[in-house]
Amino acid sequence: MKSFKLLAVGAFVVASALGSATAMAHGIVNKIVNSPLSAAGTVNNARVGINVYLQRAEAPGKEFMDPKVVGYGIPAGGHLDVEMGNGFERDWEVGLSQAAIMLVTGTPQQGLPGKAVGYAVGEGDNDRTFRITPTGDKGLPAEALVSPAPGAKGDPIRQRGLKVLHIGFMQSAFFNRGKTGTVTVRIRDAAGNVVEEGTGLVKFLTAPVPQIQPTNFTDKMRNHNWQRVKAGDVLGKTAGTVPITLMLYDKAPAGDAAKLHEYKGGIAGVGVLSTQQLKAMNYAKPATLARYNGGLIVQDTNGDGALSPDADRIIGGVIGAAPAGAKGQELRSLEKDGKPMLSQASEMVVPKPGKRWGGAIMQLQFNAGSAAGKYRPTLALLSNPDDIASPDGSSYTYTIVVE
């Protein structure tokens, strides 16, 4: 069967980008991560709040999120099954409906709601399986599957096709139980044959950690990832670009599943000091933070609106990756009138989604380096922000392409 591109793709052992530990995946599933709208979506005994990232053999891992790469569709007369396997416990008070799962194109995610793009959500062959069935005679052709997000029309290259599954969306129909959870994704044709398949495993966290998530709530939900620029351009400043934006959730308090699921506290007053800025401050980085070669994530604790690695709280850092020989690349807080724009409660930035989802939004600018190629800054939060010797917890990697 075509589904077993497993041999072509191979087995992947990956670190979850958003705070859960080592996970395994194969086939069309790349990895399973904490959803960008949940503070505790991969915590043991919490309600499920996850994103299942897909991939292709010819575009594995992060490369699948390139807007030039087309995602998946659903054949005419066929359907998509998403089976929640071992490690997930059904909540019988929540149905398997659109409220509990959303198809997504790209990351940060641009949603593909069923009413807008043409599919219905129901229960599959068992009570642990979401079944997504196209409502039109032509199925959901990948090339034509685009998000109705207002800003998507302004993307230089528009995302097409299914690339992510957001499970535990408006509601969550499952709980995380035990140490790990398994999700299997199958696309079937009109005859019921599996044409694409993959399985992913996520290791649940034993306790919540602060979360840093991708978001495109700003700029009318433009695609903030995989922006294509020229050397020397500044994302967030150069015309046609948008800032690098992230959602910050504080560490959820210990409690039952409902308390964890409902927690939406953000981390305000946070920004990034680049390596260049730290050097200008004559700051000597401790050995425990040496991995942060691209700068530090700092929270303004004295309320002066500025960032100081000595006076304020270091809560994470930037791990930069750039083409060989590149110079001049820099990630730092977006500036307005010469001052850094520190993270704010989401409701203050985007009132409607901010009120619903909570968190705090941080906006950054990126100076594109001198060499052509892919620049990949990873923003990571310390698993314990009160201990700079603690390992990384949650993290996310953006891709910027210099042409």
Side-chain angles (χ1 to χ4, degrees):
M1 288 186 297
K2 184 179 176 183
S3 64
F4 277 80
K5 289 187 173 180
L6 308 188
L7 295 178
V9 177
F12 289 82
V13 179
V14 297
S16 164
L18 296 174
S20 51
T22 301
M24 296 183 66
H26 64 222
I28 69 170
V29 174
N30 169 29
K31 61 183 174 182
I32 302 173
V33 301
N34 195 97
S35 97
L37 299 177
S38 173
T42 59
V43 176
N44 182 37
N45 291 323
R47 285 188 177 274
V48 170
I50 57 176
N51 271 16
V52 180
Y53 284 14
L54 304 182
Q55 64 181 358
R56 291 187 183 278
E58 62 273 22
K62 295 182 182 69
E63 303 309 314
F64 187 62
M65 298 303 167
D66 185 342
K68 288 185 175 181
V69 176
V70 179
Y72 290 97
I74 302 176
H79 58 264
L80 166 69
D81 282 342
V82 183
E83 184 172 8
M84 307 294 286
N86 293 335
F88 296 110
E89 178 184 309
R90 178 76 189 272
D91 179 356
W92 298 106
E93 296 184 2
V94 179
L96 302 188
S97 68
Q98 176 75 92
I101 190 170
M102 175 66 74
L103 305 189
V104 176
T105 185
T107 174
Q109 54 192 44
Q110 292 177 329
L112 297 165
K115 287 185 179 180
V117 303
Y119 66 86
V121 180
E123 196 171 285
D125 292 337
N126 60 56
D127 54 30
R128 305 174 65 81
T129 298
F130 292 95
R131 176 159 292 174
I132 290 86
T133 306
T135 53
D137 295 338
K138 297 181 179 179
L140 291 176
E143 289 276 358
L145 192 53
V146 295
S147 174
K153 294 180 180 179
D155 291 339
I157 302 174
R158 196 163 182 178
Q159 287 277 16
R160 294 160 294 158
L162 169 62
K163 295 191 174 184
V164 178
L165 296 159
H166 185 159
I167 303 171
F169 178 51
M170 303 289 287
Q171 296 179 320
S172 182
F174 293 87
F175 298 98
N176 303 321
R177 300 298 193 204
K179 294 183 178 180
T180 61
T182 302
V183 180
T184 299
V185 180
R186 300 181 182 94
I187 300 174
R188 298 182 184 270
D189 63 17
N193 298 315
V194 176
V195 294
E196 302 286 359
E197 182 175 23
T199 298
L201 180 147
V202 58
K203 185 175 181 181
F204 300 135
L205 292 170
T206 57
V209 296
Q211 293 285 338
I212 186 165
Q213 317 274 9
T215 185
N216 61 350
F217 278 159
T218 60
D219 307 295
K220 299 181 179 180
M221 299 184 75
R222 274 274 309 271
N223 183 8
H224 294 60
N225 203 2
W226 283 88
Q227 295 187 66
R228 286 174 162 80
V229 294
K230 297 178 181 178
D233 282 353
V234 182
L235 273 69
K237 296 288 187 180
T238 300
T241 68
V242 291
I244 298 294
T245 53
L246 298 120
M247 180 77 83
L248 300 172
Y249 286 110
D250 209 346
K251 178 181 177 180
D256 60 17
K259 188 174 183 179
L260 289 169
H261 183 66
E262 293 167 3
Y263 183 74
K264 300 296 180 183
I267 313 175
V270 176
V272 169
L273 287 173
S274 68
T275 296
Q276 292 91 328
Q277 289 176 302
L278 293 170
K279 185 177 180 180
M281 295 175 177
N282 294 316
Y283 176 72
K285 192 185 303 177
T288 53
L289 301 176
R291 63 189 180 280
Y292 297 142
N293 62 334
L296 297 176
I297 302 174
V298 181
Q299 183 179 24
D300 174 23
T301 53
N302 60 17
D304 64 358
L307 296 178
S308 166
D310 292 313
D312 295 318
R313 187 188 192 201
I314 297 170
I315 63 171
V318 180
I319 302 168
K327 297 179 180 180
Q329 61 271 17
E330 180 184 15
L331 184 69
R332 62 194 291 177
S333 290
L334 186 65
E335 294 181 351
K336 184 177 181 180
D337 300 326
K339 296 182 179 180
M341 295 174 61
L342 304 181
S343 64
Q344 294 178 287
S346 300
E347 191 173 355
M348 298 177 65
V349 183
V350 283
K352 188 174 181 179
K355 184 176 182 180
R356 179 182 294 279
W357 302 110
I361 290 177
M362 178 172 69
Q363 301 182 72
L364 310 175
Q365 61 187 59
F366 180 80
N367 292 44
S370 60
K374 297 169 186 173
Y375 293 75
R376 285 185 162 140
T378 296
L379 292 106
L381 295 184
L382 295 168
S383 54
N384 180 2
D386 294 322
D387 179 7
I388 63 169
S390 65
D392 293 339
S394 170
S395 67
Y396 186 77
T397 302
Y398 267 91
T399 298
I400 302 103
V401 182
V402 173
E403 298 179 319

